[in-house]
Structure formats: C-alpha cells, structure tokens
mmCIF file of all heavy atoms in Angstrom:
data_model
loop_
_atom_site.group_PDB
_atom_site.id
_atom_site.type_symbol
_atom_site.label_atom_id
_atom_site.label_comp_id
_atom_site.label_asym_id
_atom_site.label_seq_id
_atom_site.Cartn_x
_atom_site.Cartn_y
_atom_site.Cartn_z
ATOM 1 N N GLU F 630 6.888 6.797 -29.838
ATOM 2 C CA GLU F 630 6.473 5.958 -28.682
ATOM 3 C C GLU F 630 6.565 4.491 -28.999
ATOM 4 O O GLU F 630 6.044 4.033 -30.121
ATOM 5 C CB GLU F 630 5.089 6.291 -28.225
ATOM 6 C CG GLU F 630 4.667 5.586 -26.911
ATOM 7 C CD GLU F 630 3.386 6.014 -26.325
ATOM 8 O OE1 GLU F 630 3.374 7.104 -25.743
ATOM 9 O OE2 GLU F 630 2.393 5.315 -26.454
ATOM 10 N N LYS F 631 7.259 3.735 -28.242
ATOM 11 C CA LYS F 631 7.367 2.286 -28.385
ATOM 12 C C LYS F 631 6.525 1.548 -27.347
ATOM 13 O O LYS F 631 6.449 1.943 -26.183
ATOM 14 C CB LYS F 631 8.887 1.851 -28.241
ATOM 15 C CG LYS F 631 9.846 2.571 -29.222
ATOM 16 C CD LYS F 631 9.769 1.925 -30.608
ATOM 17 C CE LYS F 631 10.864 2.478 -31.428
ATOM 18 N NZ LYS F 631 10.850 1.791 -32.819
ATOM 19 N N THR F 632 5.940 0.397 -27.775
ATOM 20 C CA THR F 632 5.180 -0.419 -26.901
ATOM 21 C C THR F 632 5.734 -1.815 -26.880
ATOM 22 O O THR F 632 6.068 -2.341 -27.859
ATOM 23 C CB THR F 632 3.652 -0.456 -27.301
ATOM 24 O OG1 THR F 632 3.168 0.873 -27.349
ATOM 25 C CG2 THR F 632 2.906 -1.369 -26.363
ATOM 26 N N ALA F 633 5.884 -2.398 -25.673
ATOM 27 C CA ALA F 633 6.340 -3.739 -25.485
ATOM 28 C C ALA F 633 5.229 -4.710 -25.772
ATOM 29 O O ALA F 633 4.214 -4.714 -25.039
ATOM 30 C CB ALA F 633 6.936 -3.913 -24.052
ATOM 31 N N PRO F 634 5.338 -5.547 -26.807
ATOM 32 C CA PRO F 634 4.213 -6.474 -27.079
ATOM 33 C C PRO F 634 3.972 -7.406 -25.908
ATOM 34 O O PRO F 634 4.875 -7.944 -25.365
ATOM 35 C CB PRO F 634 4.787 -7.211 -28.256
ATOM 36 C CG PRO F 634 5.852 -6.377 -28.881
ATOM 37 C CD PRO F 634 6.473 -5.650 -27.705
ATOM 38 N N GLY F 635 2.698 -7.616 -25.672
ATOM 39 C CA GLY F 635 2.316 -8.594 -24.634
ATOM 40 C C GLY F 635 2.382 -8.151 -23.241
ATOM 41 O O GLY F 635 2.009 -8.812 -22.327
ATOM 42 N N ALA F 636 3.077 -6.959 -23.023
ATOM 43 C CA ALA F 636 3.181 -6.444 -21.650
ATOM 44 C C ALA F 636 1.928 -5.929 -21.109
ATOM 45 O O ALA F 636 1.130 -5.281 -21.791
ATOM 46 C CB ALA F 636 4.295 -5.300 -21.599
ATOM 47 N N PRO F 637 1.625 -6.190 -19.823
ATOM 48 C CA PRO F 637 0.384 -5.780 -19.223
ATOM 49 C C PRO F 637 0.311 -4.227 -19.102
ATOM 50 O O PRO F 637 1.313 -3.631 -18.856
ATOM 51 C CB PRO F 637 0.332 -6.429 -17.865
ATOM 52 C CG PRO F 637 1.759 -6.710 -17.565
ATOM 53 C CD PRO F 637 2.444 -7.011 -18.860
ATOM 54 N N ILE F 638 -0.878 -3.672 -19.209
ATOM 55 C CA ILE F 638 -1.110 -2.287 -19.038
ATOM 56 C C ILE F 638 -1.164 -2.038 -17.532
ATOM 57 O O ILE F 638 -1.945 -2.662 -16.834
ATOM 58 C CB ILE F 638 -2.353 -1.837 -19.775
ATOM 59 C CG1 ILE F 638 -2.227 -2.025 -21.279
ATOM 60 C CG2 ILE F 638 -2.664 -0.366 -19.448
ATOM 61 C CD1 ILE F 638 -3.446 -1.772 -22.029
ATOM 62 N N PRO F 639 -0.472 -1.116 -17.003
ATOM 63 C CA PRO F 639 -0.571 -0.750 -15.567
ATOM 64 C C PRO F 639 -2.029 -0.371 -15.234
ATOM 65 O O PRO F 639 -2.694 0.363 -15.980
ATOM 66 C CB PRO F 639 0.362 0.399 -15.370
ATOM 67 C CG PRO F 639 1.340 0.241 -16.444
ATOM 68 C CD PRO F 639 0.648 -0.254 -17.626
ATOM 69 N N THR F 640 -2.487 -0.882 -14.101
ATOM 70 C CA THR F 640 -3.829 -0.539 -13.559
ATOM 71 C C THR F 640 -3.686 0.009 -12.146
ATOM 72 O O THR F 640 -3.367 -0.717 -11.244
ATOM 73 C CB THR F 640 -4.684 -1.798 -13.544
ATOM 74 O OG1 THR F 640 -4.072 -2.801 -12.807
ATOM 75 C CG2 THR F 640 -4.990 -2.287 -14.930
ATOM 76 N N ALA F 641 -3.896 1.294 -12.110
ATOM 77 C CA ALA F 641 -3.641 2.002 -10.801
ATOM 78 C C ALA F 641 -4.619 1.470 -9.732
ATOM 79 O O ALA F 641 -5.811 1.328 -9.891
ATOM 80 C CB ALA F 641 -3.854 3.502 -10.961
ATOM 81 N N SER F 642 -4.045 1.160 -8.553
ATOM 82 C CA SER F 642 -4.813 0.737 -7.380
ATOM 83 C C SER F 642 -5.718 1.885 -6.917
ATOM 84 O O SER F 642 -5.296 3.025 -6.859
ATOM 85 C CB SER F 642 -3.888 0.277 -6.284
ATOM 86 O OG SER F 642 -4.609 0.207 -5.026
ATOM 87 N N PRO F 643 -6.914 1.598 -6.549
ATOM 88 C CA PRO F 643 -7.788 2.660 -5.952
ATOM 89 C C PRO F 643 -7.241 3.238 -4.677
ATOM 90 O O PRO F 643 -7.636 4.348 -4.308
ATOM 91 C CB PRO F 643 -9.194 1.945 -5.799
ATOM 92 C CG PRO F 643 -8.819 0.449 -5.664
ATOM 93 C CD PRO F 643 -7.630 0.292 -6.618
ATOM 94 N N ASN F 644 -6.335 2.522 -3.995
ATOM 95 C CA ASN F 644 -5.722 2.992 -2.756
ATOM 96 C C ASN F 644 -4.342 3.546 -2.942
ATOM 97 O O ASN F 644 -3.580 3.675 -2.011
ATOM 98 C CB ASN F 644 -5.640 1.810 -1.734
ATOM 99 C CG ASN F 644 -6.982 1.310 -1.352
ATOM 100 O OD1 ASN F 644 -7.977 2.074 -1.211
ATOM 101 N ND2 ASN F 644 -7.160 -0.023 -1.246
ATOM 102 N N ARG F 645 -4.013 3.878 -4.197
ATOM 103 C CA ARG F 645 -2.607 4.227 -4.559
ATOM 104 C C ARG F 645 -2.186 5.491 -3.808
ATOM 105 O O ARG F 645 -0.947 5.665 -3.618
ATOM 106 C CB ARG F 645 -2.465 4.406 -6.100
ATOM 107 C CG ARG F 645 -3.252 5.594 -6.649
ATOM 108 C CD ARG F 645 -3.131 5.539 -8.209
ATOM 109 N NE ARG F 645 -3.823 6.653 -8.827
ATOM 110 C CZ ARG F 645 -5.136 6.656 -9.070
ATOM 111 N NH1 ARG F 645 -5.927 5.717 -8.625
ATOM 112 N NH2 ARG F 645 -5.675 7.692 -9.664
ATOM 113 N N PHE F 646 -3.018 6.372 -3.386
ATOM 114 C CA PHE F 646 -2.577 7.577 -2.701
ATOM 115 C C PHE F 646 -2.397 7.343 -1.178
ATOM 116 O O PHE F 646 -1.989 8.224 -0.478
ATOM 117 C CB PHE F 646 -3.580 8.709 -2.925
ATOM 118 C CG PHE F 646 -3.731 9.117 -4.327
ATOM 119 C CD1 PHE F 646 -4.859 8.839 -5.064
ATOM 120 C CD2 PHE F 646 -2.602 9.801 -4.949
ATOM 121 C CE1 PHE F 646 -4.896 9.257 -6.440
ATOM 122 C CE2 PHE F 646 -2.722 10.130 -6.306
ATOM 123 C CZ PHE F 646 -3.832 9.869 -7.000
ATOM 124 N N ALA F 647 -2.789 6.189 -0.699
ATOM 125 C CA ALA F 647 -2.678 5.805 0.722
ATOM 126 C C ALA F 647 -1.735 4.719 1.013
ATOM 127 O O ALA F 647 -1.692 4.206 2.138
ATOM 128 C CB ALA F 647 -4.066 5.457 1.233
ATOM 129 N N GLU F 648 -0.856 4.314 0.037
ATOM 130 C CA GLU F 648 0.078 3.207 0.295
ATOM 131 C C GLU F 648 1.228 3.283 -0.668
ATOM 132 O O GLU F 648 1.169 4.034 -1.688
ATOM 133 C CB GLU F 648 -0.666 1.848 0.120
ATOM 134 C CG GLU F 648 -1.257 1.650 -1.292
ATOM 135 C CD GLU F 648 -2.258 0.528 -1.352
ATOM 136 O OE1 GLU F 648 -2.654 -0.065 -0.351
ATOM 137 O OE2 GLU F 648 -2.597 0.127 -2.496
ATOM 138 N N PRO F 649 2.289 2.506 -0.542
ATOM 139 C CA PRO F 649 3.398 2.533 -1.422
ATOM 140 C C PRO F 649 3.058 2.124 -2.837
ATOM 141 O O PRO F 649 1.964 1.476 -3.011
ATOM 142 C CB PRO F 649 4.409 1.567 -0.761
ATOM 143 C CG PRO F 649 4.015 1.461 0.638
ATOM 144 C CD PRO F 649 2.541 1.653 0.640
ATOM 145 N N TYR F 650 3.889 2.407 -3.779
ATOM 146 C CA TYR F 650 3.628 2.015 -5.131
ATOM 147 C C TYR F 650 3.867 0.529 -5.318
ATOM 148 O O TYR F 650 4.728 -0.087 -4.690
ATOM 149 C CB TYR F 650 4.541 2.759 -6.094
ATOM 150 C CG TYR F 650 4.231 2.560 -7.567
ATOM 151 C CD1 TYR F 650 3.272 3.270 -8.202
ATOM 152 C CD2 TYR F 650 4.823 1.519 -8.292
ATOM 153 C CE1 TYR F 650 2.968 3.049 -9.533
ATOM 154 C CE2 TYR F 650 4.510 1.265 -9.661
ATOM 155 C CZ TYR F 650 3.568 2.012 -10.219
ATOM 156 O OH TYR F 650 3.238 1.785 -11.545
ATOM 157 N N GLY F 651 3.057 -0.168 -6.180
ATOM 158 C CA GLY F 651 3.350 -1.548 -6.480
ATOM 159 C C GLY F 651 2.055 -2.357 -6.818
ATOM 160 O O GLY F 651 2.202 -3.445 -7.379
ATOM 161 N N ASP F 652 0.936 -1.835 -6.415
ATOM 162 C CA ASP F 652 -0.279 -2.657 -6.592
ATOM 163 C C ASP F 652 -0.893 -2.358 -7.923
ATOM 164 O O ASP F 652 -2.018 -1.834 -8.054
ATOM 165 C CB ASP F 652 -1.305 -2.318 -5.408
ATOM 166 C CG ASP F 652 -2.434 -3.299 -5.382
ATOM 167 O OD1 ASP F 652 -2.377 -4.298 -6.104
ATOM 168 O OD2 ASP F 652 -3.339 -3.138 -4.518
ATOM 169 N N ASP F 653 -0.169 -2.757 -8.976
ATOM 170 C CA ASP F 653 -0.731 -2.598 -10.326
ATOM 171 C C ASP F 653 -0.291 -3.804 -11.167
ATOM 172 O O ASP F 653 0.673 -4.505 -10.832
ATOM 173 C CB ASP F 653 -0.424 -1.271 -11.023
ATOM 174 C CG ASP F 653 1.029 -1.229 -11.538
ATOM 175 O OD1 ASP F 653 1.333 -1.998 -12.433
ATOM 176 O OD2 ASP F 653 1.761 -0.414 -11.096
ATOM 177 N N ALA F 654 -0.972 -4.086 -12.265
ATOM 178 C CA ALA F 654 -0.738 -5.245 -13.054
ATOM 179 C C ALA F 654 0.641 -5.390 -13.580
ATOM 180 O O ALA F 654 1.268 -6.444 -13.605
ATOM 181 C CB ALA F 654 -1.772 -5.363 -14.188
ATOM 182 N N ALA F 655 1.205 -4.230 -14.080
ATOM 183 C CA ALA F 655 2.549 -4.309 -14.699
ATOM 184 C C ALA F 655 3.623 -4.531 -13.597
ATOM 185 O O ALA F 655 4.573 -5.292 -13.886
ATOM 186 C CB ALA F 655 2.818 -2.989 -15.416
ATOM 187 N N TYR F 656 3.539 -3.953 -12.462
ATOM 188 C CA TYR F 656 4.467 -4.159 -11.387
ATOM 189 C C TYR F 656 4.444 -5.570 -10.909
ATOM 190 O O TYR F 656 5.476 -6.290 -10.774
ATOM 191 C CB TYR F 656 4.168 -3.247 -10.209
ATOM 192 C CG TYR F 656 5.214 -3.281 -9.092
ATOM 193 C CD1 TYR F 656 6.144 -2.284 -8.985
ATOM 194 C CD2 TYR F 656 5.211 -4.248 -8.135
ATOM 195 C CE1 TYR F 656 7.117 -2.306 -7.969
ATOM 196 C CE2 TYR F 656 6.162 -4.316 -7.145
ATOM 197 C CZ TYR F 656 7.088 -3.321 -7.029
ATOM 198 O OH TYR F 656 8.037 -3.400 -6.040
ATOM 199 N N ILE F 657 3.235 -6.102 -10.743
ATOM 200 C CA ILE F 657 3.103 -7.531 -10.321
ATOM 201 C C ILE F 657 3.632 -8.465 -11.357
ATOM 202 O O ILE F 657 4.285 -9.519 -11.081
ATOM 203 C CB ILE F 657 1.645 -7.871 -9.833
ATOM 204 C CG1 ILE F 657 1.263 -7.066 -8.636
ATOM 205 C CG2 ILE F 657 1.426 -9.368 -9.640
ATOM 206 C CD1 ILE F 657 -0.138 -7.154 -8.222
ATOM 207 N N ALA F 658 3.372 -8.140 -12.623
ATOM 208 C CA ALA F 658 3.924 -8.966 -13.715
ATOM 209 C C ALA F 658 5.454 -8.994 -13.769
ATOM 210 O O ALA F 658 6.060 -10.075 -13.933
ATOM 211 C CB ALA F 658 3.360 -8.485 -15.044
#
C-alpha cells in the first residue's frame, strides 16, 4: 500500500447516501 504524502484523508459526508459523491476533503482538495 502506497500513501501520497500530504494528501488529505477523505472524510465521508453525513449526507453521502442522499446526494451525489463529492462532499469530502480529498475531493474538494
């Protein structure tokens, strides 16, 4: 397993099952 240094860890939105994907720290970054 490789990890990208400094990349934000995805944080799942509490509404993720009721809306499209994208509301997490890694996507926004």
Side-chain angles (χ1 to χ4, degrees):
E630 184 170 287
K631 301 281 189 176
T632 300
I638 298 173
T640 53
S642 164
N644 297 321
R645 64 189 183 279
F646 297 110
E648 59 193 13
Y650 187 87
D652 193 4
D653 79 62
Y656 187 100
I657 294 173

